[in-house]
Amino acid sequence: MEKDAIDLKYAKEVADYIGSDHTEVYMTREQVLEELPNVIKLLGTWDITTIRASMGMYLLLQGNPREYRRESPYDR
């Protein structure tokens, strides 16, 4: 949720090191709070580590998939 989050710093370092195309997707506090009950219900757990690890992927998958899609050499 923060543009200077430590996760983003290290994700970019790893992407640069392996030569990967890196895209950052940000989520807002409001998005997290709005979707939190849905994520907890889908996961079936109150475990904070599981919820935290799942929230970003859940929000990413709720977005427009074309917005994040990159052409893969396997698509040809």
Side-chain angles (χ1 to χ4, degrees):
M1 291 191 305
E2 300 172 17
K3 296 210 183 233
D4 62 347
I6 195 71
D7 299 26
L8 295 175
K9 174 186 174 187
Y10 291 117
K12 178 153 179 29
E13 282 185 22
V14 169
D16 290 344
Y17 181 78
I18 64 173
S20 175
D21 184 14
H22 179 70
T23 301
E24 294 176 356
V25 178
Y26 299 96
M27 61 184 119
T28 66
R29 180 179 302 272
E30 291 75 23
Q31 287 173 304
V32 171
L33 292 175
E34 183 178 329
E35 296 298 337
L36 186 57
N38 296 329
V39 171
I40 291 170
K41 184 177 179 180
L42 287 168
L43 293 172
T45 183
W46 289 93
D47 178 62
I48 189 65
T49 303
T50 303
I51 295 166
R52 184 180 184 275
S54 302
M55 182 59 76
M57 186 59 66
Y58 177 85
L59 290 173
L60 178 66
L61 293 173
Q62 297 304 308
N64 180 354
R66 291 182 183 172
E67 184 178 336
Y68 308 112
R69 177 139 172 83
R70 294 252 194 312
E71 184 177 332
S72 165
Y74 301 108
D75 291 342
R76 296 182 190 135

